[in-house]
Amino acid sequence: MTAPSLPLVVVTGGAGFIGSHTVDRLIESGHRVVVLDNFSTGKRANLARWATDDRLRIEVCDVSHGIFAALAPVTAALGPVERIVHLAAQVSVVHSVANPLVDMQVNYGGTLHVLEYARATGVKKVVFASSAAVYGDVTEMPVPEDIKCAPVSPYGIDKLASELALDYYAVVHAVPATWLRFFNVFGPRQDPSSPYSGVISIFSDRARAGKGLTIFGDGGQTRDFVYVGDVVSAIAAALRDGNSRVVANVGTGREISVLELARTIVELCAGSSAITHAPARAGEILKSRARVDRLRDVLGVVATTSLVDGLRATLG
Ligand code: UD2
């Protein structure tokens, strides 16, 4: 890796869906990037475009076991880590309901390991991928950041606990941090292969193949689907932002029901996939829509990609 004057940024989970798009943007905008990924869901293919580029270094590392050992040889060669984007996580709400201890170890434990590294080495900024799942079932819509959080899943609890840890490290150990509450992120490279995958990746994959779509519940539940390119803009802005302890929703401010989403995807595929229903999943929220004033006013980001444009890019 050359060009030592370029700022060095660590992206945990950098081989994953949101992570690999983040890596693309950071390298394109003049950074050197170190990806930490255990490749449990991440893929080297997502980073293939940088395979021979010395601005990217990839270290196999499970953040829930600590990051000091993986980063020691990197920093010995390249100098200190300036900033960290912490995305590595177990991303499924449903999985967390079935496996709360795993969720806590990976999602909360992983965050503590990142924070310990940041504290010990004087990292200038940590940007953390939190989630709309911290809110639980709220009555105020669109949901503002300062509403009382009442998560209804281990996933939401662990993301909220991570936020509290970030706040604690910011106040007590002067580790500057921003935590972004992602709503439902979608786009190219989202892996449809697991039953826990994001609904758009599953529906797109099946509709393209003319297979049926299964809706959990009556399909009246809503989500605020935000395109990955807009999410990366929020991450990049948070990395640059000189403020600490900022929390911001990352969504569009619009919601769509899962039933309407299914119909839209089938229509875009010009297909005839049947839409059927199965029982609703435990631990899920019913309605979700972001208030986005803070994203715009503090970070200067507006999620401009329409759902249909984003779906077209996803469907390829
Ligand atoms: C997403 C994120 C999660 C968190 C949360 C924030 C994923 C995989 N998870 O959880 O990390 O940030 O948003 O609110 O992106 N559904 C179907 N049929 C299917 C699959 C899903 O009906 O085949 C429904 C599902 O029951 C739910 C909705 O689609 O009502 C969205 O499900 P999801 O798994 O894509 O995402 P969610 O909201 O549980």
PDB file of all heavy atoms in Angstrom, residues 16-48:
ATOM      1  N   GLY A  16     -18.961  -6.726   3.080  1.00  0.00           N
ATOM      2  CA  GLY A  16     -20.400  -6.971   3.011  1.00  0.00           C
ATOM      3  C   GLY A  16     -21.111  -6.028   2.062  1.00  0.00           C
ATOM      4  O   GLY A  16     -20.484  -5.313   1.272  1.00  0.00           O
ATOM      5  N   PHE A  17     -22.416  -6.035   2.176  1.00  0.00           N
ATOM      6  CA  PHE A  17     -23.261  -5.254   1.270  1.00  0.00           C
ATOM      7  C   PHE A  17     -23.011  -3.738   1.442  1.00  0.00           C
ATOM      8  O   PHE A  17     -22.465  -3.083   0.535  1.00  0.00           O
ATOM      9  CB  PHE A  17     -24.716  -5.648   1.562  1.00  0.00           C
ATOM     10  CG  PHE A  17     -25.766  -4.684   1.107  1.00  0.00           C
ATOM     11  CD1 PHE A  17     -25.764  -4.183  -0.192  1.00  0.00           C
ATOM     12  CD2 PHE A  17     -26.768  -4.283   1.977  1.00  0.00           C
ATOM     13  CE1 PHE A  17     -26.745  -3.289  -0.612  1.00  0.00           C
ATOM     14  CE2 PHE A  17     -27.756  -3.410   1.570  1.00  0.00           C
ATOM     15  CZ  PHE A  17     -27.736  -2.907   0.278  1.00  0.00           C
ATOM     16  N   ILE A  18     -23.340  -3.180   2.578  1.00  0.00           N
ATOM     17  CA  ILE A  18     -23.139  -1.742   2.780  1.00  0.00           C
ATOM     18  C   ILE A  18     -21.641  -1.437   2.857  1.00  0.00           C
ATOM     19  O   ILE A  18     -21.169  -0.426   2.336  1.00  0.00           O
ATOM     20  CB  ILE A  18     -23.849  -1.258   4.065  1.00  0.00           C
ATOM     21  CG1 ILE A  18     -25.357  -1.578   4.007  1.00  0.00           C
ATOM     22  CG2 ILE A  18     -23.633   0.242   4.270  1.00  0.00           C
ATOM     23  CD1 ILE A  18     -26.119  -1.282   5.300  1.00  0.00           C
ATOM     24  N   GLY A  19     -20.888  -2.363   3.470  1.00  0.00           N
ATOM     25  CA  GLY A  19     -19.458  -2.137   3.648  1.00  0.00           C
ATOM     26  C   GLY A  19     -18.720  -1.968   2.336  1.00  0.00           C
ATOM     27  O   GLY A  19     -17.890  -1.065   2.188  1.00  0.00           O
ATOM     28  N   SER A  20     -19.013  -2.819   1.369  1.00  0.00           N
ATOM     29  CA  SER A  20     -18.249  -2.748   0.113  1.00  0.00           C
ATOM     30  C   SER A  20     -18.596  -1.479  -0.669  1.00  0.00           C
ATOM     31  O   SER A  20     -17.720  -0.886  -1.310  1.00  0.00           O
ATOM     32  CB  SER A  20     -18.474  -3.994  -0.734  1.00  0.00           C
ATOM     33  OG  SER A  20     -19.826  -4.124  -1.108  1.00  0.00           O
ATOM     34  N   HIS A  21     -19.838  -1.031  -0.596  1.00  0.00           N
ATOM     35  CA  HIS A  21     -20.176   0.247  -1.234  1.00  0.00           C
ATOM     36  C   HIS A  21     -19.465   1.408  -0.509  1.00  0.00           C
ATOM     37  O   HIS A  21     -19.049   2.383  -1.148  1.00  0.00           O
ATOM     38  CB  HIS A  21     -21.691   0.480  -1.200  1.00  0.00           C
ATOM     39  CG  HIS A  21     -22.457  -0.381  -2.171  1.00  0.00           C
ATOM     40  ND1 HIS A  21     -22.524  -0.104  -3.520  1.00  0.00           N
ATOM     41  CD2 HIS A  21     -23.174  -1.512  -1.992  1.00  0.00           C
ATOM     42  CE1 HIS A  21     -23.269  -1.032  -4.119  1.00  0.00           C
ATOM     43  NE2 HIS A  21     -23.678  -1.898  -3.217  1.00  0.00           N
ATOM     44  N   THR A  22     -19.323   1.280   0.803  1.00  0.00           N
ATOM     45  CA  THR A  22     -18.610   2.309   1.575  1.00  0.00           C
ATOM     46  C   THR A  22     -17.140   2.353   1.165  1.00  0.00           C
ATOM     47  O   THR A  22     -16.565   3.439   0.976  1.00  0.00           O
ATOM     48  CB  THR A  22     -18.739   2.010   3.085  1.00  0.00           C
ATOM     49  OG1 THR A  22     -20.126   1.962   3.424  1.00  0.00           O
ATOM     50  CG2 THR A  22     -18.040   3.062   3.927  1.00  0.00           C
ATOM     51  N   VAL A  23     -16.546   1.173   1.011  1.00  0.00           N
ATOM     52  CA  VAL A  23     -15.136   1.104   0.588  1.00  0.00           C
ATOM     53  C   VAL A  23     -14.967   1.778  -0.775  1.00  0.00           C
ATOM     54  O   VAL A  23     -14.048   2.590  -0.977  1.00  0.00           O
ATOM     55  CB  VAL A  23     -14.661  -0.370   0.536  1.00  0.00           C
ATOM     56  CG1 VAL A  23     -13.279  -0.475  -0.120  1.00  0.00           C
ATOM     57  CG2 VAL A  23     -14.638  -0.968   1.931  1.00  0.00           C
ATOM     58  N   ASP A  24     -15.857   1.479  -1.699  1.00  0.00           N
ATOM     59  CA  ASP A  24     -15.785   2.098  -3.033  1.00  0.00           C
ATOM     60  C   ASP A  24     -15.732   3.625  -2.900  1.00  0.00           C
ATOM     61  O   ASP A  24     -14.879   4.291  -3.484  1.00  0.00           O
ATOM     62  CB  ASP A  24     -17.023   1.740  -3.877  1.00  0.00           C
ATOM     63  CG  ASP A  24     -17.039   0.281  -4.313  1.00  0.00           C
ATOM     64  OD1 ASP A  24     -16.004  -0.396  -4.170  1.00  0.00           O
ATOM     65  OD2 ASP A  24     -18.097  -0.173  -4.788  1.00  0.00           O
ATOM     66  N   ARG A  25     -16.683   4.157  -2.132  1.00  0.00           N
ATOM     67  CA  ARG A  25     -16.787   5.629  -2.021  1.00  0.00           C
ATOM     68  C   ARG A  25     -15.549   6.226  -1.345  1.00  0.00           C
ATOM     69  O   ARG A  25     -15.051   7.268  -1.758  1.00  0.00           O
ATOM     70  CB  ARG A  25     -18.043   5.988  -1.228  1.00  0.00           C
ATOM     71  CG  ARG A  25     -18.321   7.483  -1.100  1.00  0.00           C
ATOM     72  CD  ARG A  25     -18.944   8.096  -2.345  1.00  0.00           C
ATOM     73  NE  ARG A  25     -20.241   7.500  -2.629  1.00  0.00           N
ATOM     74  CZ  ARG A  25     -21.407   7.981  -2.155  1.00  0.00           C
ATOM     75  NH1 ARG A  25     -21.420   9.061  -1.409  1.00  0.00           N
ATOM     76  NH2 ARG A  25     -22.547   7.371  -2.459  1.00  0.00           N
ATOM     77  N   LEU A  26     -15.060   5.543  -0.302  1.00  0.00           N
ATOM     78  CA  LEU A  26     -13.912   6.097   0.427  1.00  0.00           C
ATOM     79  C   LEU A  26     -12.657   6.109  -0.438  1.00  0.00           C
ATOM     80  O   LEU A  26     -11.914   7.094  -0.455  1.00  0.00           O
ATOM     81  CB  LEU A  26     -13.671   5.298   1.716  1.00  0.00           C
ATOM     82  CG  LEU A  26     -14.707   5.530   2.816  1.00  0.00           C
ATOM     83  CD1 LEU A  26     -14.462   4.580   3.988  1.00  0.00           C
ATOM     84  CD2 LEU A  26     -14.674   6.978   3.302  1.00  0.00           C
ATOM     85  N   ILE A  27     -12.423   5.034  -1.161  1.00  0.00           N
ATOM     86  CA  ILE A  27     -11.224   5.010  -2.015  1.00  0.00           C
ATOM     87  C   ILE A  27     -11.374   6.036  -3.142  1.00  0.00           C
ATOM     88  O   ILE A  27     -10.435   6.785  -3.437  1.00  0.00           O
ATOM     89  CB  ILE A  27     -10.955   3.589  -2.563  1.00  0.00           C
ATOM     90  CG1 ILE A  27     -10.637   2.646  -1.401  1.00  0.00           C
ATOM     91  CG2 ILE A  27      -9.795   3.613  -3.565  1.00  0.00           C
ATOM     92  CD1 ILE A  27     -10.391   1.200  -1.806  1.00  0.00           C
ATOM     93  N   GLU A  28     -12.563   6.079  -3.724  1.00  0.00           N
ATOM     94  CA  GLU A  28     -12.794   7.059  -4.810  1.00  0.00           C
ATOM     95  C   GLU A  28     -12.579   8.493  -4.318  1.00  0.00           C
ATOM     96  O   GLU A  28     -12.215   9.372  -5.090  1.00  0.00           O
ATOM     97  CB  GLU A  28     -14.240   6.935  -5.330  1.00  0.00           C
ATOM     98  CG  GLU A  28     -14.462   5.759  -6.265  1.00  0.00           C
ATOM     99  CD  GLU A  28     -15.944   5.404  -6.395  1.00  0.00           C
ATOM    100  OE1 GLU A  28     -16.793   6.086  -5.778  1.00  0.00           O
ATOM    101  OE2 GLU A  28     -16.252   4.427  -7.106  1.00  0.00           O
ATOM    102  N   SER A  29     -12.833   8.742  -3.016  1.00  0.00           N
ATOM    103  CA  SER A  29     -12.716  10.114  -2.508  1.00  0.00           C
ATOM    104  C   SER A  29     -11.393  10.348  -1.775  1.00  0.00           C
ATOM    105  O   SER A  29     -11.291  11.255  -0.940  1.00  0.00           O
ATOM    106  CB  SER A  29     -13.917  10.449  -1.618  1.00  0.00           C
ATOM    107  OG  SER A  29     -13.949   9.572  -0.515  1.00  0.00           O
ATOM    108  N   GLY A  30     -10.386   9.511  -2.057  1.00  0.00           N
ATOM    109  CA  GLY A  30      -9.028   9.838  -1.592  1.00  0.00           C
ATOM    110  C   GLY A  30      -8.629   9.273  -0.249  1.00  0.00           C
ATOM    111  O   GLY A  30      -7.873   9.916   0.486  1.00  0.00           O
ATOM    112  N   HIS A  31      -9.125   8.088   0.108  1.00  0.00           N
ATOM    113  CA  HIS A  31      -8.697   7.439   1.351  1.00  0.00           C
ATOM    114  C   HIS A  31      -7.971   6.133   1.041  1.00  0.00           C
ATOM    115  O   HIS A  31      -8.153   5.537  -0.023  1.00  0.00           O
ATOM    116  CB  HIS A  31      -9.908   7.106   2.230  1.00  0.00           C
ATOM    117  CG  HIS A  31     -10.694   8.312   2.646  1.00  0.00           C
ATOM    118  ND1 HIS A  31     -11.635   8.896   1.839  1.00  0.00           N
ATOM    119  CD2 HIS A  31     -10.674   9.037   3.787  1.00  0.00           C
ATOM    120  CE1 HIS A  31     -12.159   9.940   2.461  1.00  0.00           C
ATOM    121  NE2 HIS A  31     -11.598  10.048   3.640  1.00  0.00           N
ATOM    122  N   ARG A  32      -7.179   5.682   2.014  1.00  0.00           N
ATOM    123  CA  ARG A  32      -6.716   4.298   2.034  1.00  0.00           C
ATOM    124  C   ARG A  32      -7.637   3.568   3.003  1.00  0.00           C
ATOM    125  O   ARG A  32      -8.028   4.124   4.035  1.00  0.00           O
ATOM    126  CB  ARG A  32      -5.284   4.211   2.562  1.00  0.00           C
ATOM    127  CG  ARG A  32      -4.249   4.895   1.676  1.00  0.00           C
ATOM    128  CD  ARG A  32      -2.879   4.889   2.361  1.00  0.00           C
ATOM    129  NE  ARG A  32      -2.917   5.622   3.620  1.00  0.00           N
ATOM    130  CZ  ARG A  32      -2.013   5.504   4.586  1.00  0.00           C
ATOM    131  NH1 ARG A  32      -1.013   4.672   4.460  1.00  0.00           N
ATOM    132  NH2 ARG A  32      -2.108   6.203   5.700  1.00  0.00           N
ATOM    133  N   VAL A  33      -7.985   2.345   2.662  1.00  0.00           N
ATOM    134  CA  VAL A  33      -8.971   1.626   3.469  1.00  0.00           C
ATOM    135  C   VAL A  33      -8.423   0.276   3.904  1.00  0.00           C
ATOM    136  O   VAL A  33      -7.817  -0.447   3.115  1.00  0.00           O
ATOM    137  CB  VAL A  33     -10.284   1.420   2.681  1.00  0.00           C
ATOM    138  CG1 VAL A  33     -11.264   0.568   3.467  1.00  0.00           C
ATOM    139  CG2 VAL A  33     -10.923   2.766   2.343  1.00  0.00           C
ATOM    140  N   VAL A  34      -8.643  -0.033   5.177  1.00  0.00           N
ATOM    141  CA  VAL A  34      -8.382  -1.382   5.683  1.00  0.00           C
ATOM    142  C   VAL A  34      -9.722  -2.016   6.009  1.00  0.00           C
ATOM    143  O   VAL A  34     -10.481  -1.492   6.825  1.00  0.00           O
ATOM    144  CB  VAL A  34      -7.525  -1.356   6.969  1.00  0.00           C
ATOM    145  CG1 VAL A  34      -7.248  -2.784   7.433  1.00  0.00           C
ATOM    146  CG2 VAL A  34      -6.240  -0.593   6.745  1.00  0.00           C
ATOM    147  N   VAL A  35     -10.016  -3.122   5.338  1.00  0.00           N
ATOM    148  CA  VAL A  35     -11.260  -3.859   5.608  1.00  0.00           C
ATOM    149  C   VAL A  35     -10.974  -4.944   6.643  1.00  0.00           C
ATOM    150  O   VAL A  35     -10.029  -5.714   6.503  1.00  0.00           O
ATOM    151  CB  VAL A  35     -11.803  -4.494   4.308  1.00  0.00           C
ATOM    152  CG1 VAL A  35     -12.833  -5.582   4.608  1.00  0.00           C
ATOM    153  CG2 VAL A  35     -12.398  -3.421   3.415  1.00  0.00           C
ATOM    154  N   LEU A  36     -11.795  -4.952   7.697  1.00  0.00           N
ATOM    155  CA  LEU A  36     -11.784  -6.074   8.640  1.00  0.00           C
ATOM    156  C   LEU A  36     -13.079  -6.839   8.429  1.00  0.00           C
ATOM    157  O   LEU A  36     -14.170  -6.260   8.562  1.00  0.00           O
ATOM    158  CB  LEU A  36     -11.722  -5.575  10.094  1.00  0.00           C
ATOM    159  CG  LEU A  36     -10.518  -4.733  10.502  1.00  0.00           C
ATOM    160  CD1 LEU A  36     -10.606  -4.380  11.984  1.00  0.00           C
ATOM    161  CD2 LEU A  36      -9.204  -5.464  10.208  1.00  0.00           C
ATOM    162  N   ASP A  37     -12.969  -8.118   8.101  1.00  0.00           N
ATOM    163  CA  ASP A  37     -14.179  -8.894   7.820  1.00  0.00           C
ATOM    164  C   ASP A  37     -13.889 -10.362   8.134  1.00  0.00           C
ATOM    165  O   ASP A  37     -12.791 -10.846   7.835  1.00  0.00           O
ATOM    166  CB  ASP A  37     -14.576  -8.729   6.347  1.00  0.00           C
ATOM    167  CG  ASP A  37     -16.056  -8.958   6.123  1.00  0.00           C
ATOM    168  OD1 ASP A  37     -16.533 -10.070   6.422  1.00  0.00           O
ATOM    169  OD2 ASP A  37     -16.744  -8.045   5.641  1.00  0.00           O
ATOM    170  N   ASN A  38     -14.856 -11.047   8.719  1.00  0.00           N
ATOM    171  CA  ASN A  38     -14.643 -12.482   8.974  1.00  0.00           C
ATOM    172  C   ASN A  38     -15.206 -13.346   7.844  1.00  0.00           C
ATOM    173  O   ASN A  38     -15.162 -14.561   7.906  1.00  0.00           O
ATOM    174  CB  ASN A  38     -15.224 -12.916  10.330  1.00  0.00           C
ATOM    175  CG  ASN A  38     -16.734 -12.871  10.348  1.00  0.00           C
ATOM    176  OD1 ASN A  38     -17.358 -12.418   9.378  1.00  0.00           O
ATOM    177  ND2 ASN A  38     -17.332 -13.324  11.435  1.00  0.00           N
ATOM    178  N   PHE A  39     -15.747 -12.692   6.829  1.00  0.00           N
ATOM    179  CA  PHE A  39     -16.286 -13.376   5.640  1.00  0.00           C
ATOM    180  C   PHE A  39     -17.372 -14.398   5.987  1.00  0.00           C
ATOM    181  O   PHE A  39     -17.569 -15.359   5.258  1.00  0.00           O
ATOM    182  CB  PHE A  39     -15.155 -13.984   4.797  1.00  0.00           C
ATOM    183  CG  PHE A  39     -14.292 -12.916   4.181  1.00  0.00           C
ATOM    184  CD1 PHE A  39     -13.141 -12.484   4.811  1.00  0.00           C
ATOM    185  CD2 PHE A  39     -14.689 -12.292   3.008  1.00  0.00           C
ATOM    186  CE1 PHE A  39     -12.380 -11.459   4.275  1.00  0.00           C
ATOM    187  CE2 PHE A  39     -13.923 -11.262   2.463  1.00  0.00           C
ATOM    188  CZ  PHE A  39     -12.771 -10.852   3.097  1.00  0.00           C
ATOM    189  N   SER A  40     -18.088 -14.160   7.065  1.00  0.00           N
ATOM    190  CA  SER A  40     -19.219 -15.043   7.358  1.00  0.00           C
ATOM    191  C   SER A  40     -20.345 -14.754   6.370  1.00  0.00           C
ATOM    192  O   SER A  40     -21.020 -15.654   5.897  1.00  0.00           O
ATOM    193  CB  SER A  40     -19.694 -14.870   8.801  1.00  0.00           C
ATOM    194  OG  SER A  40     -20.117 -13.551   9.017  1.00  0.00           O
ATOM    195  N   THR A  41     -20.522 -13.498   6.054  1.00  0.00           N
ATOM    196  CA  THR A  41     -21.484 -13.143   4.991  1.00  0.00           C
ATOM    197  C   THR A  41     -20.833 -12.259   3.921  1.00  0.00           C
ATOM    198  O   THR A  41     -21.337 -12.176   2.803  1.00  0.00           O
ATOM    199  CB  THR A  41     -22.725 -12.415   5.555  1.00  0.00           C
ATOM    200  OG1 THR A  41     -22.281 -11.268   6.283  1.00  0.00           O
ATOM    201  CG2 THR A  41     -23.532 -13.324   6.475  1.00  0.00           C
ATOM    202  N   GLY A  42     -19.747 -11.602   4.259  1.00  0.00           N
ATOM    203  CA  GLY A  42     -19.049 -10.758   3.283  1.00  0.00           C
ATOM    204  C   GLY A  42     -18.387 -11.598   2.195  1.00  0.00           C
ATOM    205  O   GLY A  42     -18.163 -12.795   2.387  1.00  0.00           O
ATOM    206  N   LYS A  43     -18.100 -10.950   1.067  1.00  0.00           N
ATOM    207  CA  LYS A  43     -17.506 -11.685  -0.066  1.00  0.00           C
ATOM    208  C   LYS A  43     -16.355 -10.883  -0.661  1.00  0.00           C
ATOM    209  O   LYS A  43     -16.492  -9.684  -0.878  1.00  0.00           O
ATOM    210  CB  LYS A  43     -18.545 -11.862  -1.177  1.00  0.00           C
ATOM    211  CG  LYS A  43     -19.720 -12.719  -0.831  1.00  0.00           C
ATOM    212  CD  LYS A  43     -20.533 -12.949  -2.130  1.00  0.00           C
ATOM    213  CE  LYS A  43     -21.824 -13.653  -1.872  1.00  0.00           C
ATOM    214  NZ  LYS A  43     -22.824 -12.833  -1.215  1.00  0.00           N
ATOM    215  N   ARG A  44     -15.275 -11.588  -0.992  1.00  0.00           N
ATOM    216  CA  ARG A  44     -14.156 -10.909  -1.659  1.00  0.00           C
ATOM    217  C   ARG A  44     -14.596 -10.340  -3.005  1.00  0.00           C
ATOM    218  O   ARG A  44     -14.093  -9.314  -3.442  1.00  0.00           O
ATOM    219  CB  ARG A  44     -12.983 -11.871  -1.846  1.00  0.00           C
ATOM    220  CG  ARG A  44     -12.220 -12.063  -0.555  1.00  0.00           C
ATOM    221  CD  ARG A  44     -10.973 -12.914  -0.716  1.00  0.00           C
ATOM    222  NE  ARG A  44     -10.470 -13.252   0.607  1.00  0.00           N
ATOM    223  CZ  ARG A  44      -9.628 -12.503   1.303  1.00  0.00           C
ATOM    224  NH1 ARG A  44      -9.157 -11.379   0.785  1.00  0.00           N
ATOM    225  NH2 ARG A  44      -9.228 -12.853   2.512  1.00  0.00           N
ATOM    226  N   ALA A  45     -15.556 -11.010  -3.639  1.00  0.00           N
ATOM    227  CA  ALA A  45     -16.024 -10.543  -4.952  1.00  0.00           C
ATOM    228  C   ALA A  45     -16.579  -9.117  -4.866  1.00  0.00           C
ATOM    229  O   ALA A  45     -16.498  -8.354  -5.837  1.00  0.00           O
ATOM    230  CB  ALA A  45     -17.099 -11.484  -5.480  1.00  0.00           C
ATOM    231  N   ASN A  46     -17.127  -8.739  -3.706  1.00  0.00           N
ATOM    232  CA  ASN A  46     -17.669  -7.377  -3.564  1.00  0.00           C
ATOM    233  C   ASN A  46     -16.577  -6.314  -3.660  1.00  0.00           C
ATOM    234  O   ASN A  46     -16.868  -5.144  -3.920  1.00  0.00           O
ATOM    235  CB  ASN A  46     -18.383  -7.225  -2.209  1.00  0.00           C
ATOM    236  CG  ASN A  46     -19.700  -7.974  -2.165  1.00  0.00           C
ATOM    237  OD1 ASN A  46     -20.272  -8.281  -3.205  1.00  0.00           O
ATOM    238  ND2 ASN A  46     -20.181  -8.252  -0.958  1.00  0.00           N
ATOM    239  N   LEU A  47     -15.330  -6.739  -3.415  1.00  0.00           N
ATOM    240  CA  LEU A  47     -14.204  -5.787  -3.429  1.00  0.00           C
ATOM    241  C   LEU A  47     -13.272  -6.050  -4.608  1.00  0.00           C
ATOM    242  O   LEU A  47     -12.173  -5.506  -4.673  1.00  0.00           O
ATOM    243  CB  LEU A  47     -13.421  -5.893  -2.114  1.00  0.00           C
ATOM    244  CG  LEU A  47     -14.227  -5.554  -0.854  1.00  0.00           C
ATOM    245  CD1 LEU A  47     -13.455  -5.949   0.400  1.00  0.00           C
ATOM    246  CD2 LEU A  47     -14.545  -4.056  -0.817  1.00  0.00           C
ATOM    247  N   ALA A  48     -13.735  -6.884  -5.547  1.00  0.00           N
ATOM    248  CA  ALA A  48     -12.862  -7.336  -6.635  1.00  0.00           C
ATOM    249  C   ALA A  48     -12.267  -6.172  -7.420  1.00  0.00           C
ATOM    250  O   ALA A  48     -11.130  -6.241  -7.889  1.00  0.00           O
ATOM    251  CB  ALA A  48     -13.641  -8.257  -7.570  1.00  0.00           C
TER     252      ALA A  48
END
